[in-house]
Amino acid sequence: MESRKVIFPGSFDPFTRGHAAVVEEALRIFDKVIVGIGDNRSKRGLMSPERRAALIRDLYAGNPRVEVEIYSSLTGDFARQCGAVAIVRGVRTGCDFEYEQNMAAVNRRLYPDLATVILCTPAELSHISSSVVRELLEFGHSVDDFMPRGVDIARYIEKK
């Protein structure tokens, strides 16, 4: 039987506990989750796509059901390239849902064979976002409570 693969696309700058919760939920539904790191070189982030990929690969080392890829194409094209049956998106708020609903409609029009699955981030993690983590780091605060257990974000941030 063919495995059912899904992509979980995003910038993941950085990958947070909320992202990890979405991956765990997706693994309950699908056989394999491919975390797709969108590479937009025009945006200067906290970490390079390669460093983001290293963090996520290290986090899921030993779990053959999670893969990490960097891509620079349209998400639907990336999903097709991976053989995915769906795109998984995590939402924290109603605003997130509205945005994702619109993106799902566009993707359905361009890629009618590709489903979008929207998963809700657990309520206790809904306040966590990559932008909050970046801001806390910028002002010298610890982000340990926002990162997956065991992740030392300092190992992945490029020195300026």
Side-chain angles (χ1 to χ4, degrees):
M1 186 167 139
E2 187 176 326
S3 73
R4 294 176 53 83
K5 292 186 241 180
V6 65
I7 64 161
F8 177 32
S11 60
F12 306 112
D13 189 27
F15 190 85
T16 68
R17 286 181 61 202
H19 295 130
V22 171
V23 168
E24 294 307 313
E25 188 66 16
L27 286 170
R28 292 169 33 111
I29 303 167
F30 297 95
D31 300 316
K32 182 169 280 198
V33 174
I34 301 166
V35 178
I37 300 169
D39 182 9
N40 183 345
R41 296 287 176 174
S42 66
K43 291 171 86 176
R44 173 75 178 117
L46 177 67
M47 297 181 289
S48 69
E50 294 78 17
R51 293 284 181 107
R52 290 179 244 162
L55 184 156
I56 301 165
R57 285 184 183 120
D58 289 349
L59 183 62
Y60 292 100
N63 185 341
R65 296 180 60 208
V66 178
E67 293 179 8
V68 182
E69 300 290 336
I70 298 169
Y71 73 100
S72 56
S73 61
L74 287 175
T75 298
D77 291 339
F78 173 67
R80 281 187 171 165
Q81 174 190 330
C82 293
V85 297
I87 298 169
V88 162
R89 299 296 295 166
V91 298
R92 296 174 295 125
T93 65
C95 291
D96 284 356
F97 179 80
E98 285 185 30
Y99 174 81
E100 294 302 340
Q101 186 179 34
N102 287 333
M103 290 305 301
V106 170
N107 282 329
R108 176 63 80 186
R109 177 165 225 141
L110 294 174
Y111 311 96
D113 57 325
L114 190 60
T116 298
V117 176
I118 296 176
L119 299 175
C120 296
T121 302
E124 67 272 13
L125 303 177
S126 65
H127 63 287
I128 298 173
S129 69
S130 294
S131 57
V132 165
V133 171
R134 288 192 306 270
E135 187 169 2
L136 290 171
L137 286 168
E138 184 177 328
F139 289 99
H141 288 272
S142 171
V143 295
D144 292 346
D145 290 342
F146 301 95
M147 302 302 297
R149 283 179 182 61
V151 171
D152 177 6
I153 190 71
R155 286 186 49 212
Y156 302 95
I157 299 173
E158 286 95 350
K159 306 296 183 237
K160 293 183 181 182

Short mmCIF file of all heavy atoms in Angstrom, two decimals, residues 35-63:
data_model
loop_
_atom_site.label_atom_id
_atom_site.label_comp_id
_atom_site.label_asym_id
_atom_site.label_seq_id
_atom_site.Cartn_x
_atom_site.Cartn_y
_atom_site.Cartn_z
N VAL A 35 8.22 18.38 6.22
CA VAL A 35 8.25 19.77 6.63
C VAL A 35 8.96 20.53 5.50
O VAL A 35 10.13 20.29 5.23
CB VAL A 35 8.98 19.95 7.97
CG1 VAL A 35 9.03 21.43 8.36
CG2 VAL A 35 8.30 19.12 9.07
N GLY A 36 8.22 21.41 4.84
CA GLY A 36 8.76 22.16 3.71
C GLY A 36 9.11 23.58 4.13
O GLY A 36 8.22 24.35 4.50
N ILE A 37 10.37 23.88 4.08
CA ILE A 37 10.84 25.22 4.47
C ILE A 37 10.89 26.09 3.22
O ILE A 37 11.70 25.86 2.33
CB ILE A 37 12.22 25.14 5.14
CG1 ILE A 37 12.15 24.28 6.39
CG2 ILE A 37 12.74 26.55 5.46
CD1 ILE A 37 13.49 23.93 6.97
N GLY A 38 10.00 27.07 3.18
CA GLY A 38 9.98 27.98 2.05
C GLY A 38 11.20 28.88 2.07
O GLY A 38 11.50 29.49 3.09
N ASP A 39 11.89 28.92 0.96
CA ASP A 39 13.12 29.71 0.85
C ASP A 39 12.83 30.99 0.08
O ASP A 39 12.73 30.98 -1.13
CB ASP A 39 14.20 28.89 0.15
CG ASP A 39 15.52 29.64 0.05
OD1 ASP A 39 15.66 30.72 0.66
OD2 ASP A 39 16.43 29.14 -0.64
N ASN A 40 12.66 32.06 0.82
CA ASN A 40 12.45 33.38 0.23
C ASN A 40 13.69 34.21 0.56
O ASN A 40 13.76 34.83 1.62
CB ASN A 40 11.18 34.02 0.79
CG ASN A 40 10.88 35.35 0.15
OD1 ASN A 40 11.73 35.95 -0.50
ND2 ASN A 40 9.67 35.83 0.35
N ARG A 41 14.67 34.20 -0.32
CA ARG A 41 15.95 34.87 -0.07
C ARG A 41 15.82 36.38 0.08
O ARG A 41 16.73 37.02 0.59
CB ARG A 41 16.95 34.54 -1.18
CG ARG A 41 17.35 33.09 -1.25
CD ARG A 41 18.25 32.71 -0.12
NE ARG A 41 18.53 31.27 -0.18
CZ ARG A 41 19.36 30.64 0.59
NH1 ARG A 41 20.02 31.29 1.51
NH2 ARG A 41 19.54 29.35 0.49
N SER A 42 14.69 36.94 -0.35
CA SER A 42 14.53 38.39 -0.21
C SER A 42 14.19 38.78 1.23
O SER A 42 14.29 39.94 1.59
CB SER A 42 13.44 38.90 -1.16
OG SER A 42 12.19 38.40 -0.79
N LYS A 43 13.78 37.82 2.04
CA LYS A 43 13.48 38.10 3.45
C LYS A 43 14.67 37.70 4.31
O LYS A 43 15.16 36.60 4.22
CB LYS A 43 12.25 37.30 3.89
CG LYS A 43 10.95 37.77 3.27
CD LYS A 43 9.83 36.82 3.58
CE LYS A 43 9.18 37.15 4.89
NZ LYS A 43 8.00 36.29 5.16
N ARG A 44 15.13 38.61 5.13
CA ARG A 44 16.24 38.33 6.05
C ARG A 44 15.63 37.83 7.34
O ARG A 44 14.95 38.55 8.04
CB ARG A 44 17.06 39.60 6.28
CG ARG A 44 18.13 39.46 7.34
CD ARG A 44 19.32 38.65 6.82
NE ARG A 44 20.33 38.58 7.85
CZ ARG A 44 20.73 37.46 8.43
NH1 ARG A 44 20.22 36.31 8.08
NH2 ARG A 44 21.67 37.49 9.34
N GLY A 45 15.89 36.59 7.67
CA GLY A 45 15.31 36.01 8.86
C GLY A 45 16.33 35.84 9.96
O GLY A 45 17.49 36.24 9.86
N LEU A 46 15.89 35.21 11.02
CA LEU A 46 16.74 34.88 12.15
C LEU A 46 17.79 33.85 11.75
O LEU A 46 18.95 33.95 12.12
CB LEU A 46 15.87 34.34 13.29
CG LEU A 46 16.58 33.88 14.56
CD1 LEU A 46 17.22 35.08 15.26
CD2 LEU A 46 15.57 33.20 15.48
N MET A 47 17.36 32.87 10.95
CA MET A 47 18.24 31.78 10.54
C MET A 47 18.11 31.55 9.04
O MET A 47 17.05 31.78 8.47
CB MET A 47 17.84 30.48 11.26
CG MET A 47 17.98 30.53 12.76
SD MET A 47 17.51 28.96 13.53
CE MET A 47 15.75 28.98 13.30
N SER A 48 19.17 31.05 8.45
CA SER A 48 19.10 30.67 7.04
C SER A 48 18.20 29.45 6.92
O SER A 48 17.99 28.71 7.89
CB SER A 48 20.50 30.33 6.53
OG SER A 48 20.96 29.12 7.13
N PRO A 49 17.66 29.21 5.73
CA PRO A 49 16.85 27.99 5.54
C PRO A 49 17.62 26.72 5.92
O PRO A 49 17.04 25.79 6.47
CB PRO A 49 16.51 28.02 4.04
CG PRO A 49 16.57 29.46 3.67
CD PRO A 49 17.67 30.05 4.52
N GLU A 50 18.91 26.70 5.64
CA GLU A 50 19.72 25.53 5.97
C GLU A 50 19.80 25.31 7.49
O GLU A 50 19.73 24.17 7.96
CB GLU A 50 21.13 25.67 5.38
CG GLU A 50 21.16 25.66 3.86
CD GLU A 50 20.74 26.98 3.20
OE1 GLU A 50 20.71 28.03 3.88
OE2 GLU A 50 20.41 26.95 1.99
N ARG A 51 19.91 26.40 8.25
CA ARG A 51 19.94 26.28 9.72
C ARG A 51 18.58 25.85 10.26
O ARG A 51 18.49 25.08 11.21
CB ARG A 51 20.37 27.60 10.36
CG ARG A 51 21.80 27.99 10.08
CD ARG A 51 22.77 27.16 10.93
NE ARG A 51 24.13 27.55 10.69
CZ ARG A 51 24.87 28.23 11.54
NH1 ARG A 51 24.40 28.57 12.72
NH2 ARG A 51 26.11 28.55 11.22
N ARG A 52 17.51 26.37 9.66
CA ARG A 52 16.16 25.95 10.07
C ARG A 52 15.97 24.46 9.82
O ARG A 52 15.43 23.75 10.65
CB ARG A 52 15.10 26.75 9.31
CG ARG A 52 15.05 28.20 9.73
CD ARG A 52 14.00 28.94 8.94
NE ARG A 52 14.67 29.95 8.14
CZ ARG A 52 14.16 30.55 7.10
NH1 ARG A 52 12.94 30.25 6.69
NH2 ARG A 52 14.84 31.46 6.45
N ALA A 53 16.44 24.02 8.64
CA ALA A 53 16.33 22.59 8.31
C ALA A 53 17.13 21.74 9.29
O ALA A 53 16.66 20.69 9.74
CB ALA A 53 16.81 22.36 6.88
N ALA A 54 18.32 22.21 9.65
CA ALA A 54 19.15 21.46 10.61
C ALA A 54 18.45 21.32 11.95
O ALA A 54 18.44 20.24 12.55
CB ALA A 54 20.51 22.15 10.78
N LEU A 55 17.84 22.40 12.43
CA LEU A 55 17.13 22.36 13.71
C LEU A 55 16.02 21.30 13.66
O LEU A 55 15.89 20.47 14.56
CB LEU A 55 16.55 23.74 14.02
CG LEU A 55 15.84 23.93 15.37
CD1 LEU A 55 15.86 25.39 15.77
CD2 LEU A 55 14.43 23.41 15.39
N ILE A 56 15.21 21.33 12.61
CA ILE A 56 14.07 20.41 12.51
C ILE A 56 14.56 18.97 12.31
O ILE A 56 14.02 18.04 12.91
CB ILE A 56 13.10 20.86 11.39
CG1 ILE A 56 12.59 22.28 11.68
CG2 ILE A 56 11.93 19.88 11.27
CD1 ILE A 56 11.93 22.96 10.50
N ARG A 57 15.58 18.79 11.48
CA ARG A 57 16.13 17.43 11.30
C ARG A 57 16.68 16.88 12.60
O ARG A 57 16.48 15.71 12.92
CB ARG A 57 17.22 17.44 10.23
CG ARG A 57 16.68 17.55 8.83
CD ARG A 57 17.78 17.46 7.76
NE ARG A 57 17.20 17.65 6.46
CZ ARG A 57 17.54 18.63 5.62
NH1 ARG A 57 18.50 19.50 5.95
NH2 ARG A 57 16.94 18.73 4.45
N ASP A 58 17.37 17.72 13.36
CA ASP A 58 17.91 17.28 14.66
C ASP A 58 16.76 16.91 15.60
O ASP A 58 16.85 15.91 16.32
CB ASP A 58 18.77 18.37 15.30
CG ASP A 58 20.09 18.57 14.58
OD1 ASP A 58 20.46 17.74 13.71
OD2 ASP A 58 20.76 19.59 14.87
N LEU A 59 15.70 17.70 15.59
CA LEU A 59 14.57 17.44 16.47
C LEU A 59 13.91 16.10 16.17
O LEU A 59 13.50 15.38 17.08
CB LEU A 59 13.54 18.57 16.33
CG LEU A 59 12.31 18.51 17.22
CD1 LEU A 59 12.71 18.59 18.69
CD2 LEU A 59 11.36 19.65 16.86
N TYR A 60 13.83 15.75 14.89
CA TYR A 60 13.14 14.51 14.48
C TYR A 60 14.11 13.41 14.06
O TYR A 60 13.70 12.44 13.41
CB TYR A 60 12.13 14.80 13.37
CG TYR A 60 10.97 15.62 13.89
CD1 TYR A 60 10.91 17.00 13.66
CD2 TYR A 60 9.97 15.04 14.64
CE1 TYR A 60 9.87 17.76 14.17
CE2 TYR A 60 8.92 15.79 15.15
CZ TYR A 60 8.87 17.14 14.90
OH TYR A 60 7.84 17.89 15.41
N ALA A 61 15.37 13.54 14.45
CA ALA A 61 16.36 12.50 14.13
C ALA A 61 15.84 11.17 14.68
O ALA A 61 15.35 11.08 15.80
CB ALA A 61 17.71 12.84 14.75
N GLY A 62 15.92 10.15 13.88
CA GLY A 62 15.46 8.84 14.31
C GLY A 62 13.99 8.60 14.02
O GLY A 62 13.49 7.49 14.27
N ASN A 63 13.26 9.60 13.52
CA ASN A 63 11.86 9.41 13.17
C ASN A 63 11.75 9.40 11.64
O ASN A 63 11.72 10.47 11.01
CB ASN A 63 10.97 10.50 13.76
CG ASN A 63 9.50 10.25 13.51
OD1 ASN A 63 9.13 9.48 12.62
ND2 ASN A 63 8.65 10.90 14.28
#
